[in-house]
Amino acid sequence: MTSEIKKLKTIIETSDNIVFFGGAGVSTESGIPDFRSADGLYNEAYKYPPEKMLSRSFFMEHTEEFYKFYKEKMLYPDAKPNKAHIALAELEKKGKLKAVITQNVDGLHTKAGSVNVLELHGSALRNICLNCKKCYPVEKIIQSEGIPFCNCGGIIKPDVVLYEESLNADIMLGAANAIYAAEVLIVGGTSLNVYPAAGMITGYRGKKLVLINKTETAYDRRAALIIRESIAEALDMSVRG
C-alpha cells in the first residue's frame, strides 16, 4: 500500500460525509472504453464525428444510423462492476458515503449496490418512448432490429443526455448540494474537462479534495491528495484493504 493510499484510507476512516464524483475512468476497468484517451471513442474514424452521431438532431434525423452506432459503441450489457464500484457501494452501506455523482451512463454503480446515485448524463439502462413515455429496459434496445419502437408505435429513445440536450435540473441541483455539503470530495477517473459537469467541483467548500486520476487535471492545485494509480485498486485498498 503506497503512502498516498494510506492517506486516503485515513481520510475515509475519519469522515462520515464523503461524496464521490466520477468519470469514464471508473468504468474502464470493467471493459468499457473511455472517450478522450488515445484509444478512446473520439479518436476512432467514423462517417460522422461521434459528437454529431450522439446529438439530439442526429437522433431525430438519422434515427436508424444513430442506433447502429449507439448499439455498437455505447452499450456494454455484459460489463460488471469493478472494485471501485463495489468499494463505493460498501462505503455507502457504512453510512460514510452520502452520494455518488457520475458522468457515466452504464449503470454500474447501481448494479454494484449504490443507492444514492446521481447520473448527470442519464442511464443507458433506461429507455423511454417519446410518445407515451413508457419505460423499457436496455434489452429492448439490444433485441430490436434497426429502430426500437414502443407498443404504441412511438420511437424509443435512450434516457441519456445527448449533445444539444440539457442536463436534468433536479439531478444537477442534487449533485451541487451534495458537493457543497461534503467534508471529503473524492474525484476519480475524470480529466474534469467536460462541462457543465466538471464545473460543479468549484462548489466544493471543504479542504479534503482527493483526486484519483492517471493524468493531471485543472484542479490539481486545489487537491489535498493526488493519486495517480488505478482507481479500482486505490478505492479497494483504502476501503477494504
Side-chain angles (χ1 to χ4, degrees), residues 103-169:
Q103 299 176 82
N104 299 333
V105 300
D106 50 50
L108 291 180
H109 286 293
T110 300
K111 285 184 177 180
S114 291
V115 176
N116 191 22
V117 181
L118 298 164
E119 297 169 315
L120 297 177
H121 297 150
S123 173
L125 301 185
R126 299 187 302 269
N127 303 274
I128 302 172
C129 172
L130 293 178
N131 182 41
C132 73
K133 308 306 178 186
K134 181 177 179 180
C135 189
Y136 287 90
V138 69
E139 288 76 18
K140 174 70 174 179
I141 306 300
I142 295 170
Q143 295 166 6
S144 296
E145 292 290 338
I147 302 171
F149 288 97
C150 176
N151 295 333
C152 76
I155 294 174
I156 299 171
K157 177 187 175 294
D159 189 20
V160 301
V161 180
L162 301 177
Y163 289 97
E164 304 167 356
E165 294 182 330
S166 299
L167 275 64
N168 182 287

Side-chain angles (χ1 to χ4, degrees), residues 26-219:
V26 179
S27 293
T28 53
E29 292 181 58
S30 291
I32 299 177
D34 64 10
F35 286 77
R36 301 175 190 279
S37 69
D39 299 322
L41 181 65
Y42 287 176
N43 288 307
E44 296 183 30
Y46 304 102
K47 183 178 179 181
Y48 303 99
E51 294 95 329
K52 181 176 179 63
M53 288 190 284
L54 293 174
S55 68
R56 174 77 181 196
S57 57
F58 194 86
F59 171 81
M60 299 302 294
E61 296 166 12
H62 308 278
T63 311
E64 188 166 1
E65 192 158 2
F66 166 89
Y67 266 114
K68 182 179 179 182
F69 175 81
Y70 179 81
K71 287 195 276 189
E72 179 181 345
K73 296 296 183 180
M74 296 296 292
L75 294 182
Y76 294 87
D78 297 327
K80 300 290 190 296
N82 60 51
K83 292 178 180 179
H85 301 104
I86 294 168
L88 291 168
E90 189 169 313
L91 273 185
E92 185 183 44
K93 289 176 183 176
K94 291 178 178 178
K96 288 182 166 291
L97 186 70
K98 302 307 180 185
V100 170
I101 303 167
T102 180
Q103 299 176 82
N104 299 333
V105 300
D106 50 50
L108 291 180
H109 286 293
T110 300
K111 285 184 177 180
S114 291
V115 176
N116 191 22
V117 181
L118 298 164
E119 297 169 315
L120 297 177
H121 297 150
S123 173
L125 301 185
R126 299 187 302 269
N127 303 274
I128 302 172
C129 172
L130 293 178
N131 182 41
C132 73
K133 308 306 178 186
K134 181 177 179 180
C135 189
Y136 287 90
V138 69
E139 288 76 18
K140 174 70 174 179
I141 306 300
I142 295 170
Q143 295 166 6
S144 296
E145 292 290 338
I147 302 171
F149 288 97
C150 176
N151 295 333
C152 76
I155 294 174
I156 299 171
K157 177 187 175 294
D159 189 20
V160 301
V161 180
L162 301 177
Y163 289 97
E164 304 167 356
E165 294 182 330
S166 299
L167 275 64
N168 182 287
D170 290 337
I171 293 175
M172 287 283 286
L173 179 60
N177 287 339
I179 290 171
Y180 181 83
E183 178 191 11
V184 177
L185 178 60
I186 302 174
V187 179
T190 173
S191 59
L192 295 173
N193 288 326
V194 179
Y195 288 82
M200 300 182 73
I201 306 302
T202 60
Y204 177 58
R205 293 293 179 263
K207 296 182 179 180
K208 296 180 181 179
L209 174 61
V210 179
L211 299 179
I212 309 174
N213 202 55
K214 293 182 178 179
T215 58
E216 294 182 3
T217 78
Y219 290 85

